[in-house]
Amino acid sequence: MAETAKCDVLIIGAGVMGCSCALRLLQKGLRVTLLERAVPGAESSAAAAGILGAQSEVAQAGPFLELCLASRALYRSFAQEITQISGVDVGYEDSGVLEVVTEPGEGRIAVSRAEWMMERGLRVEILDRSDARALEPALAEHILGANYYPDDHQVDPDKLGRGLTAAVASLGGSFLSGRTVTGLLSQGEHVSGVATAEGPLYAGAVVMAAGAWTTRLASLPSLRTTIKPMAGQIVQVESRPAFFRHVVYGYKGYIVPRRDGRVLLGSTLEDRGFDKAVTAEGLHRITGMGMSLVPGLAHCRFVTAWSGLRPATADGLPMLGGGPLTGLYFASGHYRNGILLAPVTAEVITDLVVDGHTRHSVAAFSPAG
Ligand SMILES: Cc1cc2nc3c(=O)[nH]c(=O)nc-3n(C[C@H](O)[C@H](O)[C@H](O)COP(=O)(O)OP(=O)(O)OC[C@H]3O[C@@H](n4cnc5c(N)ncnc54)[C@H](O)[C@@H]3O)c2cc1C
């Protein structure tokens, strides 16, 4: 029997994107239902390292950089708000990121990156070996130098997902967990709801936030790009107490120290479909990279390892905004930066659903084909 959703907005997927959008839409007084195939927040969003790398992760100036900077600027208050509503500390830390150089070729790239960032007015310090090791004594002796990004920080994605889920529930958001959406429903040029194995659900607005699975749904209109999974493995070790503080971002991987002594080492970039296996080769590469940049990691206790599926678009840009059907919105395809981009994505989607326009420049990310 057909079910009429008692809501204004249906959100497909309850990862960091779906939950962040739900939070902001609920705060505008809309009734929101999240449809989640499995466990809210437990896919790519829980697998992430949590680097808020608006500078360390971005290759050039342009609309994507601006989106990342806008989201980074929102983060501190976003994290505080989630904690206030949910009672969950989401692990936001002002740790700064050191982009470490180990070869002369990397040094030239790092200097040219620093130059365009300074032209854009961003804070970056070019450090030689001794300055870099003075700032972060845990760094290996063989490093040549580093770019220091004092405004790139970190959050704990697992705690963020838990905090967001609790915040959405406490504001009255409804979770239908174990509910797989199979396709979109539309009437002419308007979205009318979604199809599920248990029957259709209807609402005036639908937000696509199904991560790496987004463009696998049936009956999608013509889109700008497709999304596929790009697997990444992470190794967690720990030292008590913590012995270094800065995120170390190398050209072959990164190391993220949490204040409580946990350390995350990542990651691989693997194009192997929806396979989330942790492999011996992945562990070997990641731990080797980590110990070469921070030798003290060799003495840390191994805790666990996991992998997740980044939602990667074919053209490298997120699918963010409304269209091609009226009432249809995309908050998907954020690839390596979905944790960073959650606050701005939620703001954009809420602006568009509520007001029909947003102060952010999102034309480059339009979902329409
Ligand atoms: C190893 C790794 C490290 C990363 N590190 C960082 C980092 O340091 N910084 C950063 O900013 N980003 C990082 N990312 C990227 C970030 O994790 C993702 O961009 C982000 O989590 C994507 O969020 P999402 O909500 O779109 O997807 P997901 O978290 O995957 O959520 C999508 C949800 O949709 C559900 N779903 C799918 N299909 C359906 C359906 N048909 N019906 C109902 N529900 C459905 C899924 O079960 C899932 O819960 C990393 C990712 C990985 C894998």
Side-chain angles (χ1 to χ4, degrees):
M1 200 176 76
E3 230 179 302
T4 305
K6 292 185 185 60
C7 72
D8 303 303
V9 186
L10 285 168
I11 299 182
I12 308 173
V16 68
M17 289 304 155
C19 288
S20 300
C21 293
L23 179 76
R24 293 289 180 238
L25 289 162
L26 287 161
Q27 288 172 323
K28 291 284 181 184
L30 296 177
R31 296 167 305 168
V32 178
T33 297
L34 292 109
L35 301 155
E36 170 53 53
R37 195 193 48 161
V39 177
E43 282 290 351
S44 185
S45 300
I51 304 168
L52 305 176
Q55 290 174 244
S56 44
E57 273 279 323
V58 177
Q60 61 198 17
F64 184 65
L65 172 73
E66 296 308 320
L67 192 72
C68 290
L69 293 173
S71 209
R72 189 180 69 179
L74 293 169
Y75 232 98
R76 185 185 305 275
S77 59
F78 179 66
Q80 283 169 348
E81 204 180 334
I82 294 166
T83 301
Q84 268 165 13
I85 300 170
S86 69
V88 178
D89 177 352
V90 301
Y92 178 85
E93 285 180 30
D94 285 3
S95 50
V97 174
L98 277 161
E99 183 179 313
V100 172
V101 167
T102 57
E103 292 168 13
E106 293 173 359
R108 286 189 288 277
I109 296 170
V111 168
S112 94
R113 283 171 52 67
E115 282 168 0
W116 67 250
M117 288 181 201
M118 286 179 206
E119 267 172 43
R120 168 63 182 74
L122 302 175
R123 291 206 298 163
V124 47
E125 292 169 33
I126 303 175
L127 305 179
D128 62 15
R129 175 193 284 126
S130 70
D131 286 344
R133 295 193 70 230
L135 183 64
E136 185 47 81
L139 286 175
E141 280 178 24
H142 70 85
I143 67 137
L144 300 180
N147 280 1
Y148 177 48
Y149 307 122
D151 299 319
D152 274 1
H153 299 310
Q154 64 163 289
V155 70
D156 184 329
D158 183 52
K159 292 181 181 171
L160 179 70
R162 291 171 195 273
L164 272 169
T165 309
V168 167
S170 83
L171 293 181
S174 159
F175 287 92
L176 294 182
S177 296
R179 188 72 72 102
T180 301
V181 174
T182 52
L184 275 185
L185 301 174
S186 56
Q187 282 182 333
E189 296 303 306
H190 308 277
V191 78
S192 55
V194 300
T196 74
E198 292 79 8
L201 290 156
Y202 298 103
V206 173
V207 178
M208 303 282 285
W213 296 265
T214 297
T215 54
R216 285 165 66 92
L217 293 189
S219 324
L220 291 181
S222 165
L223 299 172
R224 185 196 89 229
T225 184
T226 52
I227 298 177
K228 71 171 180 180
M230 195 64 85
Q233 301 182 43
I234 295 228
V235 177
Q236 186 187 323
V237 298
E238 70 172 13
S239 74
R240 297 190 195 188
F243 69 100
F244 68 114
R245 194 174 79 78
H246 297 92
V247 173
V248 176
Y249 195 96
Y251 282 65
K252 295 190 181 112
Y254 50 74
I255 308 159
V256 183
R258 306 270 193 243
R259 207 165 283 177
D260 60 11
R262 288 175 296 152
V263 183
L264 269 51
L265 290 76
S267 179
T268 55
L269 267 181
E270 299 165 83
D271 188 358
R272 53 173 156 102
F274 287 88
D275 174 7
K276 289 198 290 182
V278 173
T279 63
E281 192 206 0
L283 298 181
H284 175 72
R285 273 180 29 207
I286 294 166
T287 49
M289 174 283 304
M291 289 185 292
S292 80
L293 297 178
V294 176
L297 288 171
H299 308 293
C300 287
R301 196 173 68 87
F302 171 81
V303 180
T304 185
W306 62 81
S307 89
L309 302 172
R310 305 175 185 90
T313 56
D315 61 9
L317 296 173
M319 289 174 83
L320 174 56
L325 302 175
T326 53
L328 179 62
Y329 303 88
F330 281 78
S332 293
H334 297 77
Y335 191 36
R336 294 168 59 109
N337 304 110
I339 302 299
L340 166 65
L341 290 168
V344 77
T345 296
E347 197 168 285
V348 166
I349 296 295
T350 304
D351 287 349
L352 294 175
V353 170
V354 175
D355 302 322
H357 57 86
T358 175
R359 69 186 170 98
H360 300 285
S361 303
V362 290
F365 316 118
S366 169

